[in-house]
Amino acid sequence: YQIAISLNLISSLSSGNLVTASWIDSRSASLTASLSIAPGWSMTAFEPSSLWNDALVLVDIGGFRIFNINDAGINARIARHVGHVDVLAVQFSAGASGYPWTWTHLTGAQKVEISAQMCAGKLALIREAAQMYGASSVLPCASHFTLWRPEHLPHAAMMRRNSLADVVQAMQGSATQVIDLLPGDVWDVGRAAI
């Protein structure tokens, strides 16, 4: 589904210009399908190597490369195909799932500890992915969510969440810039300013 959504988004962004789309099977890292539509724009989707089932999507707009790994994790087997990316779009926190909140055999303290470990794992994944894909910048774009239904409030109270400041802190000492946008913010790519 992500490839179809991304194709629609890219088509919209290019004001009706069509794009090149490719699918790469990460298990063999071979090109399995390609659709060439217009010059200057390309999109390549890679299968994840994790249990997650979203595609990793690389968008190239005239040499400016955006790699979206949200909900797909990282995949070392495709790093040589991906190469350097200008923007790495990532999920930066955990918790938008029933685990561990609805699991009845865990205590509240165990759920809080699991939540904290999952958040620490997300930050480690961002650091590893930025290094693996040679990212100039990281865009923490997925994790701005909340559990709002009344029956979810006890779970939300226990949930540990990473913030954009946590991502900035995790990337300190790295050459990778963090684009710490809040929902509704705009990033001027040319000036690298929010």
Side-chain angles (χ1 to χ4, degrees):
Y1 295 112
Q2 186 171 356
I3 189 167
I5 292 167
S6 297
L7 277 171
N8 290 335
L9 174 65
I10 299 301
S11 293
S12 298
L13 289 174
S14 64
S15 301
N17 292 334
L18 300 176
V19 297
T20 301
S22 305
W23 177 263
I24 294 190
D25 181 339
S26 63
R27 292 168 293 206
S28 64
S30 63
L31 187 63
T32 58
S34 179
L35 176 62
S36 182
I37 305 172
W41 288 73
S42 67
M43 186 175 112
T44 306
F46 301 89
E47 281 192 276
S49 63
S50 67
L51 297 176
W52 300 341
N53 202 23
D54 275 356
L56 298 101
V57 178
L58 176 65
V59 179
D60 189 313
I61 306 166
F64 187 81
R65 298 162 54 82
I66 304 165
F67 193 37
N68 180 1
I69 66 168
N70 174 44
D71 284 344
I74 58 176
N75 185 341
R77 292 183 299 230
I78 64 169
R80 74 177 195 278
H81 294 288
V82 172
H84 165 79
V85 298
D86 296 291
V87 176
L88 181 67
V90 297
Q91 177 184 30
F92 64 91
S93 196
S97 126
Y99 178 77
W101 316 116
T102 60
W103 291 44
T104 57
H105 70 288
L106 298 171
T107 67
Q110 289 173 312
K111 292 175 184 183
V112 169
E113 178 58 27
I114 290 168
S115 179
Q117 290 173 359
M118 290 167 52
C119 286
K122 290 292 181 186
L123 296 174
L125 182 143
I126 293 168
R127 286 190 304 269
E128 183 179 353
Q131 181 178 4
M132 180 179 300
Y133 302 121
S136 298
S137 56
V138 167
L139 175 62
C141 61
S143 291
H144 297 286
F145 71 91
T146 188
L147 299 177
W148 58 271
R149 295 182 56 91
E151 61 268 27
H152 294 159
L153 295 179
H155 306 309
M158 289 189 288
M159 188 180 296
R160 299 301 174 253
R161 308 244 329 249
N162 290 330
S163 67
L164 294 176
D166 293 327
V167 178
V168 170
Q169 182 177 357
M171 295 303 293
Q172 283 183 344
S174 165
T176 304
Q177 171 197 7
V178 177
I179 307 165
D180 52 343
L181 296 176
L182 292 172
D185 285 347
V186 176
W187 180 51
D188 183 331
V189 176
R191 295 184 310 129
I194 298 173

